[in-house]
Amino acid sequence: LIQGYHQENERLYTQVKELQALNKRNEEKMFTETQHLMAEMCRLKEQSNKNNMKQASVNDVQLSEQNKNQTITDLLSQLRVTQKEATKQTDEIKNLKQEKQALVVDLEKMKKEC
């Protein structure tokens, strides 16, 4: 009976040693994999930051273009308003010259009558 227990004990001892060795190999593999994954994560973060910076730069350029386009639109609008005002003033000057001419004619008539 003792010999049976002793054999079972040796078998279990061997099995524990094998499991411990397997566990150590698995831990080493997990450590290596963790290191690899951390390096990959750092690389991806760096790439993501670069992409974010590029996207921010593109967004800045797009925003700048939008601002330029808005400025051009605003300037064109102001130009149209100014041109309309200039046309109105030109018409008003024309009308005033006609009125002046009419007054000059009336004045000449009055001078002749006197």
Side-chain angles (χ1 to χ4, degrees), residues 20-61:
Q20 284 176 340
L22 179 63
N23 188 33
K24 185 173 182 176
R25 285 193 304 269
N26 284 339
E27 282 181 0
E28 289 171 356
K29 283 181 185 178
M30 286 173 50
F31 179 78
T32 303
E33 183 67 18
T34 300
Q35 293 293 5
H36 172 72
L37 289 173
M38 289 179 73
E40 181 70 12
M41 185 174 67
C42 287
R43 187 186 66 78
L44 289 173
K45 278 184 180 180
E46 207 172 291
Q47 185 179 10
S48 175
N49 286 340
K50 286 180 183 177
N51 287 342
N52 288 344
M53 289 172 59
K54 286 179 184 176
Q55 185 61 39
S57 176
V58 167
N59 288 343
D60 288 346
V61 168

Side-chain angles (χ1 to χ4, degrees), residues 6-20:
H6 183 67
Q7 286 176 347
E8 179 68 15
N9 210 11
E10 285 179 356
R11 186 185 66 77
L12 290 174
Y13 179 79
T14 305
Q15 187 178 3
V16 166
K17 287 295 179 184
E18 288 173 356
L19 289 174
Q20 284 176 340

Side-chain angles (χ1 to χ4, degrees), residues 65-80:
E65 286 297 318
Q66 288 174 349
N67 288 341
K68 285 179 186 177
N69 290 340
Q70 184 61 41
T71 301
I72 290 171
T73 303
D74 291 344
L75 289 173
L76 288 173
S77 176
Q78 289 176 0
L79 178 63
R80 284 188 208 103

